[in-house]
Amino acid sequence: MSAMSNSNWDRRSVLRAAAGLAALGPLAACGDNTGRSNGGGKGLTQYFHAYGEAGTEQAIKKYAAAYKETKVTTQWITSADFESKLFATLLTKNAPDLFEFHPQIQMIKSGQVEDLTDIINPVKDDFNPADIKSHTVDGKIYGVRMIDDPQFFFYRKSLLEKAGIEPPTTLDELMEAAAKLTTGKVKGLYIGNDLHAVINPMIWSAGADTLNEKNEIAYHTDGVIEGIKKMRKLFTSGDLLLDAPTDYWDPSALNQGLCAIQFCGMWAMPQFQKTLGDDLGIFPFPKVTDDGKPSVYNGGWSMFVNAKGKNVDAAKEYVKWLWIDQKKYQEEWATSFGFHIPPRTSIAEAATKLKSGLPAEGVKLFNEFGHFDNIGWTQAMITALEDVFADSVRKNGNPEAALDKADKAVNRELKKLFG
């Protein structure tokens, strides 16, 4: 994922749209679907959210212009609600032929996205296996991963040294560090305005997961309850930066000296380095319990073909051309604006910008501690755990009771999806 420029935007908000996807199935079936053609001279339309890094819009349009088979028009969506605009448009005759989003099982169940197994299979072994797995349902692959986006804590080395602190390896140490680093103008820690970005990392670092291999609840554990209680303590400590001018995805909280440690994504690394130079370190979300281990959430974006569109085959050909065949463009997209990890192993291994210094350290953390999206973890489930945080971290609710409530919502969804 990449920061959006002018809005209080985060990856979670993008997933909110998927709540509307259940309704999308029957509605979209009434849409204008005149079968499959090769573009019919009308060309293709693709939807992208507005990435925060300069040059990204020009790059996507440059790639499209280089494609000779058919005209490709890019809708660069700058509004804060990319996802609601996307899903509203998917219900109309102006629906895009292809669009970027995240793997979500409802899009497959509702027949919204095209099976891309045939274009991915020939190069499947060159993709990070976790990226293939997170896009696969019943042996079919939906969506081509464009970038992987690990998220971790960035910190000012000088501030930690001055306070005599080592980079934290446990959540307790992180809380202690936040307390020591909080001074008059500077808060010790920033984890985003709504705290949503750290929910999954906290679950993984407590030795739990969202769902298990059988698509059953795996987050309701003693370790997670312990983590929620610690997060509540942190939230009320006065050591957490709350209501920053921009959200966690934007590097400005740390860059402007509002905090000493900030949760953010590798996409912002060049901006951090430009401002802070070598006074910058990273560490994963630390372990929450003794039997937990550090975790790195891997966000990212994927390209999907609208299965209900008029130009399905032409859209697939373009996706194959750009996101499978054009390795030079794929490397540029991943490393020339923000830093992202190319999902293709051959490109990732050749990407010189990721080979040394802090980017190489980011890749190492990603490889060692990375967790990918579970395609069965839907927006309604995400919202259920956001409610747990709202109730038990922001307010003083009982974590056990809040998790019981979440279980009901999650089990309802699981029954709908998996019977």
Side-chain angles (χ1 to χ4, degrees):
M1 180 192 81
S2 245
M4 256 180 96
S5 20
N6 308 315
S7 67
N8 198 21
W9 182 93
D10 72 38
R11 181 179 176 285
R12 294 284 165 222
S13 71
V14 164
L15 293 173
R16 284 185 208 292
L21 282 174
L24 214 149
L27 278 170
C30 318
D32 183 7
N33 185 0
T34 54
R36 299 166 177 242
S37 72
N38 62 358
K42 286 186 295 295
L44 299 168
T45 304
Q46 58 178 352
Y47 263 40
F48 275 78
H49 84 280
Y51 286 67
E53 301 92 333
T56 44
E57 182 178 5
Q58 292 78 3
I60 284 296
K61 289 178 175 174
K62 174 183 84 175
Y63 308 152
Y67 187 58
K68 298 296 175 238
E69 298 306 311
T70 188
K71 186 175 191 290
V72 181
T73 308
T74 304
Q75 294 275 342
W76 191 256
I77 314 296
T78 52
S79 64
D81 52 354
F82 166 72
E83 73 289 352
S84 51
K85 170 137 192 185
L86 169 66
F87 288 109
T89 314
L90 282 171
L91 297 177
T92 71
K93 63 177 193 297
N94 299 320
D97 299 288
L98 49 153
F99 56 89
E100 64 168 1
F101 203 59
H102 315 285
Q104 286 260 317
I105 201 163
Q106 307 95 310
M107 292 199 293
I108 293 151
K109 297 268 183 185
S110 68
Q112 186 65 62
V113 292
E114 183 69 10
D115 171 9
L116 301 181
T117 314
D118 58 336
I119 65 171
I120 296 170
N121 258 348
V123 292
K124 184 178 164 184
D125 294 345
D126 190 35
F127 273 89
N128 185 322
D131 276 323
I132 295 292
K133 187 184 174 191
S134 67
H135 290 69
T136 300
V137 174
D138 298 332
K140 292 176 178 172
I141 308 164
Y142 299 84
V144 180
R145 190 67 138 183
M146 300 181 292
I147 44 175
D148 282 326
D149 279 333
Q151 300 171 23
F152 17 68
F153 287 102
F154 290 79
Y155 66 94
R156 296 278 305 272
K157 286 181 175 177
S158 57
L159 294 179
L160 269 71
E161 276 162 28
K162 200 174 151 193
I165 299 168
E166 290 293 316
T169 58
T170 67
L171 185 52
D172 288 332
E173 286 174 10
L174 181 63
M175 291 158 73
E176 287 160 25
K180 278 189 187 165
L181 291 163
T182 298
T183 59
K185 292 179 188 147
V186 183
K187 291 291 185 185
L189 181 65
Y190 181 51
I191 53 176
N193 287 333
D194 58 15
L195 317 183
H196 293 166
V198 298
I199 295 175
N200 280 17
M202 191 215 79
I203 290 169
W204 295 319
S205 290
D209 206 340
T210 50
L211 300 173
N212 64 20
E213 288 290 330
K214 294 178 181 165
N215 290 311
E216 300 160 337
I217 287 171
Y219 59 78
H220 195 150
T221 67
D222 291 344
V224 168
I225 289 168
E226 193 181 318
I228 293 169
K229 287 177 176 168
K230 286 176 182 176
M231 295 303 289
R232 169 68 185 166
K233 201 173 156 192
L234 182 60
F235 183 74
T236 54
S237 65
D239 307 324
L240 209 53
L241 174 65
L242 300 165
D243 304 318
T246 56
D247 215 336
Y248 84 98
W249 47 258
D250 185 279
S252 57
L254 189 68
N255 278 351
Q256 291 171 7
L258 303 180
C259 61
I261 303 172
Q262 175 181 346
F263 191 75
C264 194
M266 189 156 145
W267 58 81
M269 203 178 267
Q271 288 165 279
F272 280 128
Q273 289 180 313
K274 194 177 167 190
T275 305
L276 302 173
D278 293 332
D279 189 20
L280 186 66
I282 54 173
F283 61 88
F285 197 97
K287 63 181 193 172
V288 171
T289 53
D290 292 340
D291 55 353
K293 66 181 221 177
S295 69
V296 168
Y297 175 63
N298 176 49
W301 289 89
S302 309
M303 189 46 66
F304 295 92
V305 169
N306 179 7
K308 298 172 194 287
K310 296 173 209 163
N311 309 306
V312 175
D313 291 338
K316 276 179 73 173
E317 280 165 32
Y318 178 65
V319 170
K320 179 186 181 297
W321 176 81
L322 179 52
W323 299 111
I324 304 284
D325 300 340
Q326 304 303 313
K327 284 187 160 190
K328 196 166 129 263
Y329 288 157
Q330 290 161 42
E331 179 174 349
E332 180 182 74
W333 184 240
T335 61
S336 290
F337 308 103
F339 287 154
H340 315 262
I341 297 175
R344 301 276 293 274
T345 312
S346 59
I347 300 174
E349 284 171 356
T352 46
K353 289 179 182 175
L354 305 181
K355 279 196 192 302
S356 59
L358 208 59
E361 215 176 304
V363 172
K364 190 168 173 276
L365 291 180
F366 165 83
N367 287 331
E368 196 173 347
F369 302 119
H371 289 261
F372 289 65
D373 283 314
N374 181 328
I375 199 166
W377 187 246
T378 68
Q379 180 50 38
M381 300 176 195
I382 289 164
T383 303
L385 288 193
E386 288 173 355
D387 291 346
V388 170
F389 258 54
D391 186 54
S392 308
V393 177
R394 287 186 165 275
K395 299 177 196 146
N396 200 18
N398 178 323
E400 186 67 72
L403 285 168
D404 285 342
K405 192 178 162 196
D407 291 351
K408 288 196 180 92
V410 172
N411 277 325
R412 249 196 327 270
E413 276 290 286
L414 289 171
K415 196 168 188 319
K416 247 191 305 191
L417 292 166
F418 305 107

